Amino acid sequence: MKKIAHNYRRHWLKQVQGLGLLALGFCLNPITAFAKKEEADEAIKKITGGAAIREGKVILTIPPLVENGNLVVLKVSVDSPMTANDYVKTIHVIAEGNPLPNIFTVYLSPRSGSANITTRVRLADSQKVWAIAQLSNGSFWQGSAETLVTLSACTEMV
């Protein structure tokens, strides 16, 4: 009787362990950690308040093929005179494949001189990246680029 109870317990523990590993696999799945296109769209709507976004004025430059997503050079330039009456207020960079879609926001003023930004970002996967600029007159302009990342950089552990 003791041997049967011992085997039953062992069998039950193996089943519980299997379920735990299965649940852990769902939680740590990299696909569930990345933002989706819908989440990127929601972040853009939150930034613009639902206002119309026009194409043009914003040039986003990112390499089309990136070997390692840890340090990806990203350049944003906005066609603006940067005068007291006509300047870029903010530039937002959104990526649809990162754990959090809003990568960064830069605040500018006429004293910035130009609306050109160069930085390095981490990209989790091959994805589309947007740069959205808000001008002093309240209008929004965007530029986008797609990149292919062969080695992912950021993953979110739950």
Side-chain angles (χ1 to χ4, degrees), residues 125-147:
D125 201 6
S126 300
Q127 59 190 295
K128 187 171 184 178
V129 180
W130 292 272
I132 300 170
Q134 180 182 14
L135 304 186
S136 57
N137 64 7
S139 65
F140 291 93
W141 296 81
Q142 76 176 359
S144 64
E146 293 205 29
T147 185

Side-chain angles (χ1 to χ4, degrees), residues 19-78:
L19 286 174
L21 288 174
L22 182 65
L24 183 64
F26 279 119
C27 292
L28 297 180
N29 185 355
I31 292 172
T32 60
F34 299 145
K36 308 289 184 283
K37 171 80 167 91
E38 298 81 31
E39 292 174 26
D41 289 342
E42 188 62 36
I44 291 170
K45 283 180 189 172
K46 192 179 280 188
I47 289 167
T48 63
I53 306 172
R54 296 183 237 173
E55 290 287 332
K57 289 197 180 197
V58 178
I59 298 172
L60 173 66
T61 307
I62 193 167
L65 177 63
V66 179
E67 201 171 302
N68 186 338
N70 282 320
L71 293 172
V72 179
V73 177
L74 180 135
K75 297 177 184 179
V76 179
S77 61
V78 183

Side-chain angles (χ1 to χ4, degrees), residues 65-127:
L65 177 63
V66 179
E67 201 171 302
N68 186 338
N70 282 320
L71 293 172
V72 179
V73 177
L74 180 135
K75 297 177 184 179
V76 179
S77 61
V78 183
D79 182 23
S80 172
M82 296 301 283
T83 62
N85 296 326
D86 186 8
Y87 64 95
V88 177
K89 289 174 66 173
T90 58
I91 298 173
H92 305 271
V93 175
I94 308 293
E96 69 182 7
N98 277 13
L100 299 173
N102 196 348
I103 296 178
F104 68 87
T105 300
V106 175
Y107 298 92
L108 303 169
S109 74
R111 298 179 97 191
S112 300
S114 68
N116 298 310
I117 298 164
T118 301
T119 189
R120 295 177 189 269
V121 296
R122 296 180 79 179
L123 295 178
D125 201 6
S126 300
Q127 59 190 295

